[in-house]
Amino acid sequence: MLSPKRVFFYCLPIAAPDQVGYHHLMLAIAEGLKPLGVQLYSNINYWKASPDSDEYLIIHDPDVTPDDCDVVMIDEHWLITGPGELPPQLFKPHRNYITVYLDNSESTKCIRKQSWSQEFSQFDLILRTHCSTQFEYPQNFRPWTFSLPQRVLDEVSDIPSYDERNHHLLVNFRDTQWMHSVRKSVYHSLHPYIESKLAPVYKAVNDFNAPPTSEYHYFQWLQTGRRHYPDYYNNLKTSAFCSCFGGFFVPSHIKHPGTRWAEIQKRLFTELGWSSKSILQWDSWRFWESLAAGAVSLHVDFEKYGFSLPVMPKNWVHYIGLDLDHIQDDIDRMIDEPGILADISRQGREWALTHYTSKAVALRFLDVLENYQSQSVVQEVVPV
């Protein structure tokens, strides 16, 4: 199998808005595979482009089972929101399909029970967001990320020039009792310094229980499990900067993110306000969305903190990655070199649209499959 002809996705139906297993990582891959001629099947019909459409991106055909496909894909929502266990016979002997798990697990408890468990070692490939060179991963892991499905690209297709934007820092985090410790740190250190030296801080948070009123946007709000708000995308398009921080500090000696010890340290560092160079759960929805919208995306320095992506962005070219030990130096550079901001806005958007649209993600997925198959062939022919 050089390239899959059929891919089978295990998907969940839409229930209540707060119980939707939104298959974001699957969606990005599927949207890119379909124009390449790959047939997409599922246990249910999944993902309509509009509320009045009868067509689905991924279709259910009772005559097509996983055994009829080249790749079988599942994600963490099947376990967290859905049945809670893997489909029976998924790893049956002599299967002809490649098994792929899309892992966007956010809690260390989920990571420990799922991706790092003995059962999950049977997956041929696990595509994992939040990867970092600071940690060790099982052999079947590959770094992955949220990326940009067509729904988001449609919302940011028309953007103003950088000079026409509101010169403020957009902050859109939903503050909860269990705030990311990286966000907690920048709330106390970065945001006040930016407000006093560079630009006002504009906090605009969408209420989970206040859906959009238009039929189309309400439909997408429902399909995405309350993650689609047109005014949020408008804020991104009209803001000069966006705060995109996420993640939890843990001590640098932690090498396995899914351990109980990692969970204890994560909580301890959050409660005490400690920081380190090791960050769990760093990937941020709004990082990708703000890049595509042309807002200058502020995060930590990916290189310094060891973040791992299939294609890495360049600091001060595609985004501004802060060194949390020298925040003032980074803000001073933004003040001293104002001309660089419009360049970062443009270059960041171009980079994201080149490397992280559905088309780019699908082609990368096919490369991952090809590399896996090539390695498998080599292992078969090399004598033990």
Side-chain angles (χ1 to χ4, degrees):
M1 179 183 66
L2 296 179
S3 180
K5 294 181 174 60
R6 292 180 169 186
V7 176
F8 192 94
F9 301 81
Y10 277 100
C11 299
L12 296 172
I14 295 177
D18 61 343
Q19 297 177 342
V20 173
Y22 170 45
H23 303 289
H24 181 86
L25 303 187
M26 284 187 183
L27 176 62
I29 294 174
E31 286 182 339
L33 289 179
K34 190 164 187 175
L36 299 176
V38 179
Q39 299 176 53
L40 312 176
Y41 296 98
S42 176
N43 54 299
I44 62 169
N45 289 320
Y46 183 74
W47 198 262
K48 292 201 295 183
S50 64
D52 56 353
S53 173
D54 294 326
E55 296 184 4
Y56 289 84
L57 175 67
I58 307 173
I59 65 170
H60 171 64
D61 184 335
D63 294 328
V64 178
T65 71
D67 289 327
D68 302 308
C69 298
D70 304 304
V71 178
V72 174
M73 195 177 301
I74 196 168
D75 66 15
E76 83 279 357
H77 291 293
W78 186 265
L79 303 170
I80 297 172
T81 310
E85 58 185 10
L86 295 174
Q89 299 299 309
L90 179 65
F91 302 120
K92 63 185 179 183
H94 311 299
R95 61 184 182 270
N96 293 319
Y97 52 78
I98 293 174
T99 53
V100 178
Y101 183 64
L102 298 173
D103 179 19
N104 186 35
S105 302
E106 296 185 342
S107 75
T108 49
K109 181 179 179 181
C110 288
I111 296 171
R112 181 170 65 252
K113 288 189 174 182
Q114 296 168 18
S115 302
W116 261 262
S117 69
Q118 182 63 33
E119 183 178 27
F120 279 68
S121 67
Q122 299 177 82
F123 275 99
D124 298 306
L125 292 166
I126 293 180
L127 307 183
R128 166 71 181 161
T129 62
H130 309 298
C131 278
S132 170
T133 57
Q134 306 286 348
F135 307 118
E136 298 173 359
Y137 300 95
Q139 190 174 5
N140 56 351
F141 272 47
R142 302 292 185 275
W144 212 246
T145 189
F146 290 115
S147 306
L148 294 163
Q150 189 60 46
R151 168 186 64 85
V152 174
L153 297 180
D154 290 343
E155 297 303 314
V156 298
S157 60
D158 57 328
I159 63 170
S161 68
Y162 193 76
D163 292 339
E164 296 175 304
R165 292 171 178 263
N166 297 316
H167 190 70
H168 61 225
L169 173 69
L170 176 63
V171 178
N172 181 253
F173 308 131
R174 292 186 175 97
D175 295 343
T176 63
Q177 186 177 2
W178 186 234
M179 186 192 296
H180 289 210
S181 56
V182 175
R183 291 177 185 168
K184 186 177 179 180
S185 174
V186 300
Y187 264 128
H188 296 304
S189 57
L190 173 66
H191 290 172
Y193 193 76
I194 284 182
E195 190 146 42
S196 65
K197 298 288 186 179
L198 181 65
V201 173
Y202 174 55
K203 294 183 179 180
V205 181
N206 297 101
D207 185 348
F208 271 135
N209 298 313
T213 55
S214 79
E215 182 183 18
Y216 169 77
H217 291 300
Y218 175 81
F219 175 72
Q220 296 292 29
W221 177 84
L222 181 62
Q223 281 203 126
T224 59
R226 306 182 297 177
R227 292 181 177 88
H228 182 95
Y229 297 89
D231 55 331
Y232 162 64
Y233 294 110
N234 185 63
N235 283 332
L236 284 175
K237 292 191 296 184
T238 57
S239 296
F241 314 94
C242 182
S243 187
C244 304
F245 302 91
F248 293 91
F249 294 114
V250 292
S252 298
H253 66 265
I254 296 289
K255 296 302 178 186
H256 298 283
T259 63
R260 191 176 300 277
W261 179 241
E263 175 71 21
I264 293 171
Q265 292 297 309
K266 168 182 162 181
R267 290 181 176 272
L268 181 64
F269 270 55
T270 300
E271 292 173 3
L272 297 179
W274 294 347
S275 63
S276 73
K277 292 183 180 179
S278 294
I279 299 175
L280 293 172
Q281 196 183 326
W282 59 265
D283 206 353
S284 164
W285 299 84
R286 61 188 51 74
F287 177 73
W288 302 101
E289 293 164 343
S290 67
L291 284 171
V296 173
S297 306
L298 305 187
H299 207 315
V300 300
D301 185 337
F302 283 24
E303 295 286 349
K304 174 176 178 176
Y305 293 91
F307 298 168
S308 182
L309 288 170
V311 180
M312 292 289 289
K314 293 182 180 179
N315 195 5
W316 291 97
V317 175
H318 305 124
Y319 76 112
I320 295 180
L322 302 182
D323 180 344
L324 297 180
D325 296 324
H326 302 93
I327 283 179
Q328 294 186 8
D329 293 344
D330 289 323
I331 302 305
D332 288 344
R333 180 177 178 183
M334 295 168 68
I335 296 170
D336 295 339
E337 303 178 38
I340 200 175
L341 300 176
D343 291 337
I344 294 174
S345 167
R346 174 180 53 79
Q347 292 163 171
R349 175 177 165 87
E350 291 174 353
W351 175 83
L353 297 184
T354 298
H355 298 291
Y356 287 100
T357 60
S358 292
K359 178 181 178 180
V361 168
L363 292 174
R364 187 173 300 118
F365 176 68
L366 295 179
D367 286 342
V368 170
L369 289 181
E370 184 177 356
N371 290 336
Y372 167 76
Q373 292 171 295
S374 299
Q375 293 170 5
S376 299
V377 170
V378 170
Q379 291 173 358
E380 289 178 2
V381 299
V382 175
V384 179

